[in-house]
């Protein structure tokens, strides 16, 4: 709520648009394990990127209200393909493997990292990367590397803090300040920082609205 009823009405309309979009059918299209596998879709895409175990697949499930659309796990390295989901035949959601997972075999990590890089930098229909950062730990070196890569490729990205059910409000506020500082030098980073939890559903409606803003 703000002290301006017109702003409140506009925000309510945005949230409703997000709710309606994500209430629509969402289907798994395919998983790509190599560059040749990456489908040639023309629909706008929104990708979910972030370190292994940050909660990418869980967030896709929360957004779409489906428990098992994207496979999740306690064990880092669950998502091993670039998975494409069609939302109402209007938008493609893309669940990426995690980066920065040191415990997986080196060869596998190199293959994933390479594929993530190829995907993120070579996709004309990629409208936004939701860059997930763990709300308990904040940005790590690998996050900064990906941010810089996206800046250079001029790919718009937006920070979504995950697992916000865990940290205290003061810790979250500090993290938001830290990311605001980073935004000064990361030109392709969207100014709005989103806070989310797939456990208590905090902020899921706002993430839906941010994505719905990208759909005509
Ligand atoms: P990879 O596919 O391995 O890169 O992981 P991912 O980023 O897709 O993470 P995933 O959604 O599989 O979740 C990893 C773990 O974090 C699981 O045990 C989830 O239950 C847990 N988790 C995900 N979101 C949240 C959240 O909002 N809050 C809390 N507390 N745990 C979460
Ligand atoms: Mg995953």
């Amino acid at each position: 709520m703000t002290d301006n009823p017109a702003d409140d009405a506009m925000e309510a309309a945005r949230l409703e648009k997000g709710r309606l979009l994500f209430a629509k059918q969402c289907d798994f299209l395919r998983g790509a394990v190599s560059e040749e596998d990456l489908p040639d879709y023309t629909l706008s895409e929104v990708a979910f990127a972030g370190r292994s175990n940050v909660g990418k697949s869980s967030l896709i499930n929360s957004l779409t209200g489906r428990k098992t659309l994207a496979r999740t796990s306690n064990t880092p390295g669950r998502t091993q393909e670039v998975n494409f989901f069609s939302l109402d035949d209007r938008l493609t959601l893309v669940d990426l493997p995690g980066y920065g997972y040191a415990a997986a075999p080196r060869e596998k990590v190199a293959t994933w990292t390479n594929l993530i890089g190829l995907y993120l930098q070579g996709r004309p229909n990629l409208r936004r990367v939701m860059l997930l950062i763990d709300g308990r730990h904040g940005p790590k070196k690998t996050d900064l590397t990906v941010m810089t890569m996206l800046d250079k490729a001029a790919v718009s990205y937006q920070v979504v803090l995950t697992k916000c059910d865990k940290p205290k409000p003061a810790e979250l506020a500090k993290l938001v300040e830290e990311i605001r500082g980073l935004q000064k030098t990361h030109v392709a980073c969207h100014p709005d920082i989103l806070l989310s939890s797939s456990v208590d559903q905090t902020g899921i409606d706002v993430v839906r609205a941010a994505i719905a803003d990208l759909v005509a």
Side-chain angles (χ1 to χ4, degrees):
M1 286 276 280
T2 66
D3 51 13
N4 183 338
D7 286 351
D8 289 346
M10 223 152 71
E11 185 56 13
R14 274 188 76 233
L15 293 177
E16 180 61 5
K17 188 179 164 202
R19 188 187 71 77
L20 288 172
L21 175 64
F22 280 90
K24 295 280 169 35
Q25 181 86 12
C26 190
D27 298 304
F28 175 71
L29 289 171
R30 73 186 283 177
V33 293
S34 65
E35 191 181 10
E36 307 79 66
D37 270 358
L38 291 173
D40 205 11
Y41 295 129
T42 48
L43 278 184
S44 291
E45 284 176 5
V46 172
F48 296 77
R51 288 167 59 80
S52 197
N53 210 45
V54 70
K56 299 174 291 295
S57 302
S58 300
L59 181 60
I60 290 179
N61 289 339
S62 289
L63 291 168
T64 55
R66 302 258 304 266
K67 284 198 174 69
T68 55
L69 184 67
R71 289 180 69 194
T72 65
S73 168
N74 268 322
T75 319
R78 170 77 272 167
T79 307
Q80 309 199 348
E81 306 180 330
V82 179
N83 286 319
F84 295 81
F85 301 91
S86 166
L87 180 58
D88 194 31
D89 292 327
R90 286 166 73 197
L91 183 72
T92 306
L93 306 177
V94 184
D95 187 14
L96 292 168
Y99 48 77
Y101 177 43
R106 190 183 294 209
E107 220 171 86
K108 260 193 160 177
V109 174
T111 308
W112 293 340
T113 311
N114 190 34
L115 184 61
I116 295 165
L118 286 169
Y119 169 79
L120 289 176
Q121 295 171 93
R123 209 69 189 160
N125 53 329
L126 179 57
R127 293 292 308 280
R128 176 83 47 90
V129 175
M130 306 314 271
L131 185 68
L132 276 54
I133 291 178
D134 196 317
R136 302 168 304 178
H137 308 308
K140 301 287 175 201
K141 209 171 146 199
T142 43
D143 297 310
L144 302 181
T145 304
V146 170
M147 288 170 82
T148 302
M149 182 191 85
L150 293 171
D151 292 325
K152 285 190 180 143
V155 175
S156 164
Y157 59 97
Q158 181 162 19
V159 172
V160 181
L161 296 177
T162 60
K163 311 195 184 187
C164 291
D165 50 285
K166 291 284 186 197
K168 297 192 177 80
E171 291 166 345
L172 273 176
K174 210 172 137 209
L175 201 51
V176 167
E177 275 317 301
E178 182 184 342
I179 293 164
R180 289 216 186 293
L182 291 174
Q183 284 176 329
K184 291 181 186 140
T185 51
H186 289 280
V187 291
C189 188
H190 192 283
D192 293 342
I193 300 162
L194 306 179
L195 275 56
S196 73
S197 165
S198 292
V199 165
D200 65 17
Q201 304 299 298
T202 299
I204 297 299
D205 54 347
V206 181
V207 180
R208 285 185 186 131
I211 295 173
D213 282 343
L214 301 168
V215 181

